[in-house]
Amino acid sequence: MVERVEIGDPASLTVSQMARYLADGALSSETVTKACLARIEAIEPSVHAWAHYDPQRALMQAKEADRRRAMGLPLGPLHGVPIGLKDIIDARGMPTENGTSLDAGQRPNQDATLTQRLRNAGVVIVGKTVTSELAYFHPGPTTNPHDPARTPGGSSSGSAAAVAAGMVPFAVGTQTNGSVIRPASYCGVVGYKPSFGSVPRTGVLKAAQSLDQVGFFARSVEDAALAATVMGPDGQDRDCDLNPGPLLDTALSAPPVTPDIAMVHTPFSERLESATTEGFAELVDLLGEHGTEAALPDLFGRSAGWLATIMASEMTRNLGHYYDRDADQLSDAFGALMEQGRSIAAVDYLAARDMQPVLREALDPLFERFDAIITPAAPGEAPADLSTTGDPIFCSLWSLCGLPAITLPLLTGPNNMPVGVQVVGAYGQDARLLRTARWLLLQCSPDEETGQ
């Protein structure tokens, strides 16, 4: 039993808090869903986080969740919790429009695998969050909840903004280059991108299958660990063959020894804003003997080019039919991507693919010495420009290698905007990464993980 306390606005709770209050009977799913819908009604006109939301359908789901609880039926770990899904993820009964007018009105007749697993866990799906056009760089209408003149990032802009604005405590996004880590940094929330191959992408728009990963936005590391609900192979996504095991218990446990962290300087460090550089220097000082600065060899500087080659080639192969159908309905940025993809030689694409395991294995000595890597999530604050989604360069290497990463809202820029710290773990070691990230968060801001 949780202690009876003044709850305040239920929409401000973390997922973990909300789930505990729901289980204890201190709150009903209908109550928390109504609170989230009220927040959406109040803030959505300025944030534009939702491509589609249906208050009536959400309340029907919430009432059904309460009915099941009252009847003593089996319940999942997220029972009654309202969430949002990026609008490239299929959900039966809701449109999937992929951020383009070419898919306007498209309604799938079945759930994506991860959607079905979330339903089995008991969630209330409030709606579909805005994505950039076909999950690429051309931004949608979403603004940053901290400053409407600034970008929320992309392409999972709506999911990040919805959590940051308190519209839902948990939302699902995807990342091909930097589309979870970067918007989480810009919007000041926790963003978790699991190891490649741990979340099935069946029923999710296929952009670049060698890079595409599902990710999650939340308010705490504990909440991010609940993403384990959707992990594990489904027998349909042939690249999904990894199950990192139970995450929550490990994430909440104390490290057996004080973690050693490597502050990694990538070959792209010249793109950092000065305030970000200063913030990371202070973080390394805070870690003391358990924080060590390290630089990657110049070879890693070519990672962004290899990722761009794979991304352009595979996105052209998978999404080129949109361009062929009606190029005039698509952005210049997407058109340029298609032309780039069609100009890439097979030998260059295959060479780039060959470098993925090479770079991942080259990082093994770092992970043998250190528990995790910390590195910037973005160059700095969200740009004051809604025509861009920002620079993903500090995500590219880790996306190319398929390593698990999580962004923590630990720094603040010169304009009082959030700046995230990216923590990267060894491949398949998601539980250890989350445990280390939670430890780091508590060292830097002891009250942060409580959500109070």
Side-chain angles (χ1 to χ4, degrees):
M1 299 286 286
V2 281
E3 181 183 355
R4 300 288 181 174
V5 296
E6 182 62 36
I7 294 173
D9 183 359
S12 298
L13 298 172
T14 67
V15 175
S16 306
Q17 291 171 330
M18 192 178 289
R20 286 193 287 269
Y21 283 128
L22 287 166
D24 186 47
L27 285 173
S28 68
S29 180
E30 183 178 3
T31 297
V32 297
T33 301
K34 282 182 176 179
C36 289
L37 291 171
R39 187 77 65 91
I40 292 172
E41 290 296 325
I43 301 175
E44 176 63 6
S46 63
V47 176
H48 307 294
W50 298 90
H52 167 82
Y53 72 97
D54 185 337
Q56 183 176 4
R57 178 182 286 271
L59 287 172
M60 286 176 58
Q61 294 174 70
K63 290 176 181 178
E64 174 61 16
D66 290 335
R67 185 190 70 82
R68 290 183 62 86
R69 187 181 298 280
M71 293 181 66
L73 297 173
L75 307 177
L78 298 174
H79 193 82
V81 174
I83 71 161
L85 292 176
K86 183 177 180 177
D87 193 29
I88 66 169
I89 300 168
D90 286 348
R92 188 181 64 257
M94 297 181 182
T96 301
E97 297 183 332
N98 299 313
T100 173
S101 61
L102 294 175
D103 282 339
Q106 174 179 270
R107 285 181 176 263
N109 56 20
Q110 62 184 28
D111 286 335
T113 296
L114 71 92
T115 304
Q116 185 58 59
R117 289 179 177 178
L118 285 166
R119 289 194 202 273
N120 293 343
V123 302
V124 171
I125 301 175
V126 173
K128 307 297 285 296
T129 56
V130 168
T131 176
S132 60
E133 177 191 59
L134 294 166
Y136 192 54
F137 284 125
H138 184 65
T142 308
T143 65
N144 193 305
H146 300 279
D147 181 348
R150 293 179 183 269
T151 180
S155 61
S156 304
S157 52
S159 292
V163 173
M167 297 176 180
V168 286
F170 186 82
V172 186
T174 64
Q175 176 159 312
T176 302
N177 187 349
S179 301
V180 170
I181 298 300
R182 182 170 85 263
S185 176
Y186 288 164
C187 292
V189 297
V190 172
Y192 168 43
K193 179 191 74 64
S195 294
F196 180 86
S198 59
V199 182
R201 301 161 301 177
T202 308
V204 180
L205 179 73
K206 182 190 292 186
Q209 66 274 13
S210 302
L211 302 167
D212 292 342
Q213 298 170 249
V214 173
F216 307 91
F217 299 91
R219 297 176 185 151
S220 72
V221 175
E222 180 179 355
D223 289 0
L226 291 168
T229 299
V230 306
M231 291 186 179
D234 69 346
Q236 298 179 74
D237 181 348
R238 64 183 183 182
D239 291 322
C240 183
D241 57 3
L242 179 68
N243 192 335
L247 299 185
L248 186 58
D249 288 346
T250 301
L252 293 179
S253 67
V257 295
T258 302
D260 287 321
I261 310 291
M263 166 55 191
V264 167
H265 299 283
T266 71
F268 315 110
S269 294
E270 75 280 357
R271 298 199 197 182
L272 285 176
E273 296 174 8
S274 58
T276 307
T277 301
E278 293 167 5
F280 269 85
E282 293 175 5
L283 183 57
V284 172
D285 287 344
L286 176 67
L287 292 171
E289 64 179 355
H290 295 285
T292 303
E293 297 191 69
L296 295 179
D298 290 342
L299 173 69
F300 287 89
R302 299 177 62 187
S303 60
W306 287 318
L307 180 139
T309 294
I310 296 169
M311 190 170 171
S313 299
E314 294 186 351
M315 289 188 74
T316 301
R317 169 65 181 85
N318 296 322
L319 304 176
H321 61 92
Y322 287 98
Y323 188 62
D324 294 337
R325 190 194 331 167
D326 195 343
D328 292 339
Q329 296 297 312
L330 298 166
S331 67
D332 291 343
F334 190 81
L337 175 72
M338 295 296 102
E339 296 301 323
Q340 177 190 356
R342 289 171 180 175
S343 70
I344 293 172
V347 65
D348 294 327
Y349 166 72
L350 294 172
R353 287 293 315 278
D354 285 345
M355 292 307 299
Q356 289 180 280
V358 170
L359 292 181
R360 183 191 292 174
E361 291 170 11
L363 290 166
D364 284 346
L366 265 179
F367 290 117
E368 290 171 3
R369 168 66 179 84
F370 298 99
D371 293 274
I373 287 169
I374 59 171
T375 190
E381 295 176 318
D385 182 357
L386 292 176
S387 69
T388 179
T389 60
D391 186 353
I393 191 65
F394 291 101
C395 308
S396 300
L397 170 60
W398 321 113
S399 292
L400 182 68
C401 295
L403 300 182
I406 187 167
T407 295
L408 306 177
L410 289 176
L411 304 179
T412 303
N415 296 294
N416 204 35
M417 292 291 292
V419 177
V421 172
Q422 182 174 196
V423 188
V424 182
Y427 181 70
Q429 297 296 312
D430 292 56
R432 182 183 183 190
L433 168 68
L434 294 177
R435 181 177 66 193
T436 303
R438 183 170 178 269
W439 173 86
L440 178 63
L441 188 61
L442 291 171
Q443 301 309 301
C444 298
S445 46
D447 295 331
E448 193 73 23
E449 192 64 3
T450 69
Q452 300 298 320

